[in-house]
Amino acid sequence: MEGTRIAIIGAGTSGLTAIKQCLDDGLVPICFEKSNFIGGLWRYQEVDKDNKDPHSSIYKSIRTNTCKELMSFSDFPIPVDWSTYLDYVHVEKYIDMYAENFNLLPHIKFNTTVLKASILTDKRWKVRYVTRGKGREEEEREEIFDYVMVCSGHHHHHRWPKYKGMDVFGGEQMHSHFYRQPTNFENKRILVVGSGNSGMDIAVELSHVASQVYLSARKGRLPWIYPLFLNGKAYDHRLSRFSTYIIPLSIKRKRMENAIVKEKGPFPPHLKPNEPLYTSLAAINSEIFERLLDGKIIVKPNIKELKSENNKIEFVDGTSLENIDVVIYSTGYDLKFPFLNRDIITGGDEIEKEYGKDYKDDLVWMHKLMFPPRYPNIAFLGLVVGAGAIFPVSEMQARYITSQIKGFIKPLPSPAEMDQCIRDRYERNRKFYVNPPRHTIQAKPLLYLDELSKDIGCYPYSFEIIKKFGFGFWKLINFGLATPIQFRLLGRNSWEGSKEAILLYNKCAAGNNTKKHKDYIFWVSFSTITIALLASIKNYW
């Protein structure tokens, strides 16, 4: 299918890897980016009088909460001498290096906003867009494409909660979307609403400059919180194929809970999560425990009402606070794609009637979290949470999509079969997660990558790894870091530098840890027993 034209909407990390994969497979990518830069939310932008509502952007102090070894693109490793968890400056630099190395910028139309993408009778797509030119009026155009990849992310339309009195409250109210750094909040009394990753990060940072920070945990209790390091080891260096597939969930839960308590001490009893570990969204923050203990951050329950007099806020437990200067709502984002018909996302009227009441604005009806069943030749990249870093996830999705377009893998199932697969996923989520609507685009990191890689043909099957690289390297693949580089060892688009990159990452990770992974030491010594065990498990072998 030489000359197949692909419209890619968005030049964040998902859009960039989509361009790269299209080029690898001989397709013609045209990427539309509404800003004048690449990187999406990872490109830091200030909020000021000239830029009052910027694109979604990280705050200045942010660090990644996935280690570099697991967040790397699979054929372009993050430099091994960079820190385990990167600040935004290094993430920006890595994105720029990736784009330069694969010459991606010439395929991007900057300052271009997609107004509408609509399907034609011949299953191609018409894309209407407008480009802002220097010193010229906006120029609107239409083009026809064979396929559309939606890579615009899901952090654009900030979600505001609805509390009584928000319209009369005398203090400042803002969404975390507009938060960048703490310089304007010195000596203020601040309430941060929402105890996810962003809310916790912002509360911790402000606790160093504010007179007092309060954190409203809307469920009344904190989520499970992982420190970045446990027992001298990056918390996600624990993720291996062995731990993912072989260690029972109950044991993993117990060990993680014990590790958290050993590292940071027990949760205050009234704040400890009610739900079992892994059944709800966790947060990752190393400093929150200390801030709670010294009283710099005080946890409050959900808001009942905001009042105008004395900047007062009442909570559902009957307590109240006065003289609150600022309320920061870290309450997430709505899943909206204004350039597409709504039913492309939600599955249409019948699906909305069936699931809409429970899932509301979080209803996403996608096969493999990419494909709308009744709309051919369109796919979504990066519309996933909980699957670790988005870089390798979007990359694997891009490889899957271009393999579909080129006919290298079997076609997608019928719409009815895709509907059933999605229903099965929703049912599994209902049984596992305590709040299923928050997990409609949830995926488990390694399991999701493995699922896609098996179809593509780049899954690191044990027999093939042993045959090509030897038994010692097989042990490293299964007990060492679950880096996405392993998906470049075999199959189409393999990379000859993948083995050395995996060896180097594992060597450096082991050198940086003060305590070696006990699973690795014990189980590798009994590797023959392990082989027999793994061989009996169809999914794994």
Side-chain angles (χ1 to χ4, degrees):
M1 297 181 65
E2 296 293 327
T4 301
R5 301 179 79 241
I6 313 296
I8 297 172
I9 303 175
T13 55
S14 296
L16 292 175
T17 197
I19 297 171
K20 190 255 183 189
Q21 191 58 43
C22 284
L23 295 174
D24 285 352
D25 283 338
L27 305 171
V28 182
I30 297 93
C31 180
F32 301 96
E33 171 52 50
K34 66 180 181 181
S35 69
N36 60 358
F37 51 81
I38 61 173
L41 62 83
W42 280 106
R43 186 68 58 178
Y44 179 81
Q45 272 201 323
E46 285 284 2
V47 179
D48 53 38
K49 63 179 181 179
D50 298 321
N51 192 23
K52 294 181 179 179
D53 190 8
H55 80 296
S56 300
S57 168
I58 40 78
Y59 33 95
K60 204 163 193 175
S61 64
I62 198 170
R63 294 175 71 191
T64 62
N65 55 22
T66 303
C67 67
K68 68 177 184 294
E69 295 86 0
L70 270 61
M71 73 173 284
S72 175
F73 288 117
S74 63
D75 59 354
F76 192 74
I78 295 173
V80 72
D81 57 344
W82 288 9
S83 61
T84 303
Y85 298 103
L86 306 181
D87 58 28
Y88 86 90
V89 174
H90 282 85
V91 178
E92 282 187 354
K93 184 176 181 180
Y94 176 61
I95 292 169
D96 290 339
M97 290 164 58
Y98 182 80
E100 180 180 359
N101 186 75
F102 296 110
N103 195 29
L104 305 181
L105 296 186
H107 305 278
I108 303 172
K109 292 179 181 288
F110 289 105
N111 300 311
T112 300
T113 300
V114 172
L115 303 174
K116 187 70 176 178
S118 51
I119 193 166
L120 304 174
T121 56
D122 62 0
K123 298 181 182 180
R124 294 186 300 165
W125 287 80
K126 179 172 68 176
V127 175
R128 181 163 57 90
Y129 62 91
V130 62
T131 300
R132 303 183 306 278
K134 293 182 179 179
R136 303 194 308 270
E137 293 185 0
E138 294 183 344
E139 183 180 3
E140 188 172 318
R141 291 184 177 180
E142 289 183 352
E143 289 189 49
I144 307 300
F145 293 89
D146 300 290
Y147 205 102
V148 172
M149 292 187 183
V150 182
C151 304
S152 54
H154 49 96
H155 292 93
H156 294 287
H157 305 280
H158 32 286
R159 178 180 293 172
W160 290 86
K162 296 178 180 179
Y163 294 121
K164 183 179 179 181
M166 288 177 69
D167 57 335
V168 300
F169 180 68
E172 180 184 356
Q173 298 178 79
M174 63 182 292
H175 194 278
S176 60
H177 173 89
F178 299 97
Y179 177 84
R180 293 296 182 270
Q181 51 187 320
T183 52
N184 296 327
F185 301 91
E186 292 184 7
N187 301 317
K188 293 188 176 182
R189 288 167 56 80
I190 301 168
L191 174 67
V192 178
V193 180
S195 54
N197 280 310
S198 296
M200 213 166 282
D201 284 350
I202 292 169
V204 165
E205 181 170 67
L206 290 176
S207 69
H208 293 282
V209 299
S211 63
Q212 182 62 60
V213 174
Y214 300 92
L215 179 66
S216 172
R218 294 187 290 171
K219 295 192 298 182
R221 292 174 178 263
L222 291 173
W224 287 103
I225 305 169
Y226 305 159
L228 288 174
F229 294 90
L230 290 168
N231 297 330
K233 183 185 186 73
Y235 86 95
D236 48 356
H237 281 185
R238 293 166 170 260
L239 179 65
S240 67
R241 292 192 163 277
F242 175 82
S243 67
T244 298
Y245 286 99
I246 302 303
I247 299 178
L249 182 61
S250 59
I251 294 177
K252 282 190 282 192
R253 279 178 177 152
K254 189 65 176 177
R255 292 184 61 215
M256 179 60 82
E257 289 180 25
N258 290 342
I260 293 171
V261 170
K262 182 178 180 180
E263 185 74 22
K264 293 297 181 181
F267 274 89
H270 67 291
L271 296 178
K272 185 176 180 180
N274 286 323
E275 64 272 8
L277 194 65
Y278 306 129
T279 62
S280 62
L281 294 173
I284 302 166
N285 193 293
S286 291
E287 198 176 347
I288 184 69
F289 295 93
E290 288 81 0
R291 301 283 87 184
L292 292 172
L293 285 173
D294 66 16
K296 293 292 186 180
I297 296 175
I298 297 174
V299 177
K300 302 296 291 182
N302 202 12
I303 294 173
K304 178 182 178 181
E305 183 177 356
L306 296 88
K307 296 190 173 182
S308 58
E309 62 271 19
N310 299 325
N311 290 0
K312 184 176 181 179
I313 299 178
E314 295 181 351
F315 298 91
V316 295
D317 65 349
T319 62
S320 63
L321 296 172
E322 293 187 353
N323 302 316
I324 295 298
D325 298 298
V326 185
V327 180
I328 300 175
Y329 297 104
S330 185
T331 47
Y333 293 81
D334 288 326
L335 294 169
K336 294 181 180 178
F337 299 86
F339 51 87
L340 292 171
N341 290 341
R342 174 181 165 82
D343 63 344
I344 297 177
I345 316 301
T346 64
D349 291 341
E350 290 187 12
I351 300 298
E352 288 190 46
K353 288 178 182 177
E354 184 177 355
Y355 290 93
K357 182 179 178 181
D358 293 331
Y359 290 85
K360 300 179 182 177
D361 291 330
D362 293 312
L363 179 59
V364 177
W365 200 255
M366 305 273 179
H367 178 60
K368 293 187 182 293
L369 297 174
M370 289 184 282
F371 305 104
R374 273 161 287 283
Y375 285 84
N377 299 332
I378 184 172
F380 290 72
L381 285 79
L383 196 56
V384 183
V385 298
I390 199 63
F391 293 26
V393 172
S394 296
E395 179 188 51
M396 186 67 76
Q397 290 177 322
R399 296 176 71 182
Y400 195 100
I401 294 163
T402 60
S403 295
Q404 282 282 344
I405 295 171
K406 296 288 289 187
F408 293 134
I409 61 178
K410 62 183 180 182
L412 293 173
S414 68
E417 291 173 305
M418 286 192 275
D419 283 339
Q420 187 56 52
C421 288
I422 300 169
R423 281 192 172 85
D424 291 344
R425 177 168 60 82
Y426 268 60
E427 187 59 30
R428 289 194 300 271
N429 283 359
R430 277 177 167 165
K431 291 179 179 178
F432 187 79
Y433 295 111
V434 295
N435 186 10
R438 294 199 68 193
H439 299 271
T440 54
I441 54 175
Q442 185 90 7
K444 296 179 181 178
L446 190 57
L447 273 63
Y448 183 62
L449 292 174
D450 279 353
E451 175 190 345
L452 300 184
S453 69
K454 287 177 180 178
D455 288 348
I456 295 171
C458 62
Y459 177 79
Y461 285 101
S462 293
F463 178 75
E464 296 296 328
I465 293 297
I466 294 171
K467 183 171 69 173
K468 184 173 181 178
F469 300 103
F471 183 68
F473 191 69
W474 171 86
K475 289 191 292 185
L476 193 65
I477 291 296
N478 287 281
F479 297 99
L481 296 174
T483 171
I485 300 171
Q486 63 190 242
F487 298 110
R488 292 288 179 174
L489 291 166
L490 304 171
R492 196 173 63 84
N493 296 141
S494 60
W495 173 45
E496 62 181 17
S498 56
K499 179 182 178 181
E500 291 305 315
I502 291 170
L503 290 169
L504 184 58
Y505 265 178
N506 277 274
K507 178 181 178 181
C508 292
N512 290 335
N513 293 324
T514 59
K515 184 177 181 180
K516 290 188 177 181
H517 196 182
K518 292 180 180 179
D519 287 337
Y520 184 87
I521 296 171
F522 180 78
W523 288 101
V524 169
S525 64
F526 289 93
S527 55
T528 51
I529 297 175
T530 306
I531 293 174
L533 175 64
L534 300 183
S536 67
I537 300 175
K538 180 180 180 181
N539 237 356
Y540 189 92
W541 189 253

